[in-house]
Amino acid sequence: MVVFAGQGDARRSMELLWGPRVVAPRTGPGPKPGLSVEAIVAAAIDIADADGMASLSMRSVGERLGRTAMALYTYVPGKTELVDLMYDRTLGELPSSFSPSDGWRSAALSLADALWDLHLRHPWLLQVSPARPVLGPGEFHVQETLLSVLASTGLPLSRVRWVVSALFNVVRGSVQAAAESRQAARETGLSEEDWWYARSALLRELVPDLTARFPTVARLGSSVEASPSDEPYLEREARLSFEAGLELLLDGVEAAIVKASGPR
């Protein structure tokens, strides 16, 4: 399921993204508290975190807040604008304290780890396509943080721009596999270990010459070490892929820095 942000009323979305947010009132005994944009967005994020974007609707958000869907429209025009607000607010959770005082590479590694954790904490972010940016403060915050860290390499900003895109794609691509590994176990009711056990046994039975037909694949499989923890295989592989891809990317950045500095 792919969701495209930025599909609602442009002016209303931008006003909600950049306008003042009203903090949701304290709940407790007494009259039912008033709604706010902030409370609606927070409830929507909770739903998406727990059950994914497929479970998100104005009705489900209203039910979570003890209101009807119609009561929400005074604050948010519709689901499309709500997705913009959810996405942007969640991106705003990314810390900005990645000082390059210990070197740009250390800061870039910490930043990439924070992006990984953010997407794994809110896996529905991966369902929102970056093809239509929301142009909100959270999105600009992520861009500013990435650019600030990687601009400390000394490379021209025209090149840093592409490094930022590459780093973001390494994170997003790898964490997608980890998030889907968790989702598969939750939605199918079958653990990753049980799924692989059943099919690997069938594979050996039905394709006895598999190793001879695909020797390089077989050699790769025999080189994979067992995980010393209870971490699922695919999630562990996704994390290792993320770390390896990030290291290769940053090695390339270091080579570009040396090349740009010229002969010594």
Side-chain angles (χ1 to χ4, degrees):
M1 177 182 180
V2 177
V3 176
F4 291 97
Q7 299 304 297
D9 181 271
R11 175 170 289 278
R12 190 68 181 119
S13 285
M14 297 295 281
E15 287 174 347
L16 287 168
L17 285 164
W18 291 96
R21 296 282 182 87
V22 178
V23 178
R26 182 180 62 84
T27 59
K32 186 174 290 187
L35 288 174
S36 70
V37 172
E38 188 70 16
I40 293 168
V41 174
I45 290 173
D46 287 344
I47 291 170
D49 284 348
D51 302 313
M53 292 293 279
S55 299
L56 180 71
S57 67
M58 297 298 279
R59 180 178 179 179
S60 65
V61 176
E63 289 176 349
R64 192 175 188 90
L65 294 168
R67 301 299 182 91
T68 64
M70 290 302 296
L72 308 184
Y73 290 112
T74 300
Y75 302 87
V76 181
K79 180 180 173 181
T80 50
E81 293 85 1
L82 181 56
V83 169
D84 290 357
L85 295 168
M86 294 166 58
Y87 185 71
D88 197 70
R89 171 181 163 163
T90 304
L91 291 182
E93 294 179 13
L94 182 73
S96 56
S97 54
F98 300 101
S99 172
S101 59
D102 293 331
W104 69 266
R105 184 165 184 139
S106 175
L109 288 169
S110 297
L111 174 54
D113 280 338
L115 279 170
W116 169 281
D117 291 340
L118 176 67
H119 284 81
L120 209 52
R121 190 164 63 248
H122 303 289
W124 57 269
L125 285 173
L126 298 163
Q127 294 175 268
V128 181
S129 171
R132 294 289 187 270
V134 300
L135 303 178
E139 200 166 56
F140 275 96
H141 159 68
V142 171
Q143 291 181 19
E144 180 69 20
T145 302
L146 282 160
L147 285 167
S148 296
V149 167
L150 293 169
S152 64
T153 60
L155 291 173
L157 280 179
S158 59
R159 300 201 68 185
V160 169
R161 171 188 178 188
W162 303 119
V163 177
V164 165
S165 295
L167 186 147
F168 192 79
N169 288 334
V170 166
V171 175
R172 189 177 171 101
S174 298
V175 78
Q176 179 111 33
E180 290 180 358
S181 172
R182 294 183 179 186
Q183 182 183 0
R186 184 172 63 250
E187 293 190 7
T188 65
L190 191 66
S191 72
E192 185 177 294
E193 181 180 24
D194 290 341
W195 187 93
W196 277 106
Y197 180 79
R199 279 157 181 77
S200 62
L202 286 170
L203 198 60
R204 287 192 297 271
E205 174 190 337
L206 298 172
V207 196
D209 62 340
L210 184 69
T211 298
R213 292 172 62 183
F214 306 102
T216 309
V217 175
R219 193 164 72 247
L220 175 65
S222 64
S223 69
V224 175
E225 297 180 0
S227 174
S229 66
D230 294 331
E231 185 179 24
Y233 168 77
L234 282 180
E235 188 169 335
R236 181 174 70 95
E237 285 297 298
R239 178 73 192 192
L240 292 174
S241 173
F242 159 67
E243 292 173 352
L246 185 60
E247 287 288 337
L248 288 170
L249 172 62
L250 299 184
D251 285 349
V253 174
E254 287 192 339
I257 293 171
V258 172
K259 184 177 180 180
S261 63
R264 297 183 178 180

